[in-house]
């Protein structure tokens, strides 16, 4: 009986930890695609595993030289808070670009990440 009573709290603890681990807005898809090659995009679309708060979520874009590229304010897609849309401020020259994103999900968990894409000539 003692072993059984110890298993219940351990199982509940594990279940709560596992639930919290999945309660973060994880990047599921990006356009331009992670590692992809595209013509100059007019926007960056990030699709997350759950809704994000656009006021606390953002993207920076830098060229291969490290120069900052202007982007517009982030907004969520109408009717889908899990899709973040960030307009690119100007046409991009050929080269490799780095996207750095940070997100706050609707349940206030923070996540961040980085990926690259290439603009073809």
């Amino acid at each position: 009986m003692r072993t059984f009573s110890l298993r219940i709290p351990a199982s509940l603890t594990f279940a709560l930890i596992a639930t919290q681990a999945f309660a973060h807005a994880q990047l599921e898809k990006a356009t331009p695609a992670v590692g992809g090659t595209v013509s100059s995009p007019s926007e960056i679309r990030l699709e997350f595993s759950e809704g994000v708060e656009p006021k606390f979520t953002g993207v920076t874009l830098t060229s291969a030289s490290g120069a900052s590229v202007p982007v517009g304010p982030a907004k969520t897609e109408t009717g889908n808070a899990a899709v973040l849309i960030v307009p690119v401020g100007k046409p991009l020259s050929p080269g490799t670009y780095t996207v750095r994103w940070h997100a706050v999900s609707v349940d206030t968990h923070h996540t961040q990440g980085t990926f690259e894409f290439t603009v073809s000539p």
Side-chain angles (χ1 to χ4, degrees), residues 56-75:
F56 306 108
T57 301
V59 168
T60 60
L61 182 63
T62 54
S63 67
S65 68
S68 185
V69 177
V71 294
K75 63 180 181 174

Side-chain angles (χ1 to χ4, degrees), residues 30-45:
T31 306
V34 174
T37 300
V38 297
S39 57
S40 181
S42 60
E43 66 183 20
I44 296 169
R45 294 176 65 88

Side-chain angles (χ1 to χ4, degrees), residues 50-89:
E50 64 182 77
V52 296
E53 293 289 343
K55 291 180 183 178
F56 306 108
T57 301
V59 168
T60 60
L61 182 63
T62 54
S63 67
S65 68
S68 185
V69 177
V71 294
K75 63 180 181 174
T76 54
E77 183 176 67
T78 303
N80 189 355
V83 177
L84 188 73
I85 302 168
V86 180
V88 176

Side-chain angles (χ1 to χ4, degrees), residues 32-33 35-38 41 44 61 92 95-99 115-119:
T37 300
V38 297
I44 296 169
L61 182 63
L92 301 178
T96 301
Y97 292 84
T98 301
V99 175
F115 68 90
E116 292 183 344
F117 68 89
T118 301
V119 173

Side-chain angles (χ1 to χ4, degrees), residues 94-106:
T96 301
Y97 292 84
T98 301
V99 175
R100 288 183 186 1
W101 59 268
H102 64 275
V104 175
S105 62
V106 293

